[in-house]
Amino acid sequence: MENFWEYLQNLTDAKSILSNGGFALLLLVVYAETGLFFGFFLPGDYLLFLAGILTAAGIIHVPIYILVPSLILAAVLGNFTGYWFGYRTGPMLFKRKDSWFFKKRYVTVAEEFYAKYGGTSLILGRFFPIVRTFAPIFAGIVKVDLKKFSLYNFVGGIAWVTTLTLAGYFLGRRFPQLKDYLQYVVLGLIIITTIPLIVAYVRRRLNDQQES
């Protein structure tokens, strides 16, 4: 437990995450997690939230009116990259062998999410780990109309970035002491974003047992 807590403290150290890598690192993480199949493990959700808090605290020296549009652009370009990748690879992706960077079940999760919510999965999926990475890839595989995909991409990118980044920013302005408790903030965000995936997994297992 002590090692886990130490990991969280290192993970949320502003100097090691955002101050050292800076603005460019933040944009790269958001782009990679929303468009590259090996970026599913990146911490997009809480980095957006932390970016808002750290900007409010003056630790990230980028104005909020530049930070938010830049992050939206990175998220949108990431999804376009994922769509292009899925469009070019197609069903071959399902035949790819599992590795540390890629597992076929991740595409299956995105497929089920898309089957349930349709095009809006590209908006809702922004707020769920793994789905956020693989939903645009699956959209490319099934060749969703590019105009429709673009609309969902922009709406989803704007909603995801503004919700989390501005929430962190205004909370940071209202409660400046939050920057001293980032490990608690990260732990809470990990729990919140993981619960829906756990619930979905449990429901799927129960359905499989009932069918068998």
Side-chain angles (χ1 to χ4, degrees):
M1 185 64 183
E2 291 181 1
N3 291 335
F4 175 71
W5 199 249
E6 182 180 355
Y7 170 74
L8 280 180
Q9 289 177 324
N10 292 333
L11 198 60
T12 56
D13 181 3
K15 292 182 180 180
S16 65
I17 293 183
L18 296 175
S19 296
N20 287 347
F23 185 45
L25 174 62
L26 181 60
L27 295 179
L28 181 60
V29 168
V30 170
Y31 169 79
E33 197 201 6
T34 56
L36 306 179
F37 73 86
F38 54 80
F40 68 91
F41 63 91
L42 293 171
D45 275 337
Y46 68 73
L47 274 189
L48 290 180
F49 193 77
L50 291 184
I53 292 177
L54 298 179
T55 300
I59 296 174
I60 295 180
H61 304 290
V62 177
I64 192 67
Y65 58 82
I66 293 178
L67 178 68
V68 171
S70 299
L71 289 171
I72 291 172
L73 180 61
V76 168
L77 290 177
N79 261 22
F80 275 127
T81 302
Y83 178 88
W84 175 84
F85 179 76
Y87 191 92
R88 301 293 289 183
T89 57
M92 291 179 59
L93 199 60
F94 288 96
K95 300 178 182 178
R96 183 186 178 93
K97 293 183 179 180
D98 284 355
S99 65
W100 190 85
F101 286 111
F102 173 81
K103 297 186 184 301
K104 285 181 283 189
R105 69 173 181 270
Y106 296 155
V107 182
T108 303
V109 168
E111 179 182 12
E112 292 175 350
F113 199 83
Y114 188 87
K116 183 174 182 180
Y117 296 105
T120 55
S121 64
L122 297 168
I123 299 174
L124 298 175
R126 290 278 192 176
F127 295 88
F128 296 93
I130 298 179
V131 175
R132 178 167 52 245
T133 302
F134 286 93
I137 294 175
F138 180 75
I141 291 174
V142 299
K143 295 180 171 51
V144 173
D145 180 74
L146 184 58
K147 291 182 180 179
K148 290 183 178 180
F149 175 81
S150 299
L151 175 62
Y152 292 129
N153 185 12
F154 279 103
V155 173
I158 292 170
W160 182 54
V161 171
T162 56
T163 298
L164 292 171
T165 308
L166 293 182
Y169 179 77
F170 288 117
L171 278 175
R173 292 286 298 272
R174 180 67 179 82
F175 304 103
Q177 65 272 22
L178 273 179
K179 69 179 185 295
D180 300 321
Y181 301 94
L182 294 182
Q183 63 267 33
Y184 299 99
V185 174
V186 168
L187 183 59
L189 286 172
I190 290 174
I191 293 173
I192 290 171
T193 56
T194 303
I195 287 175
L197 293 178
I198 295 175
V199 171
Y201 175 78
V202 171
R203 285 180 176 175
R204 183 179 177 183
R205 291 300 298 269
L206 290 175
N207 289 335
D208 290 344
Q209 290 178 0
Q210 290 175 355
E211 290 175 0
S212 61

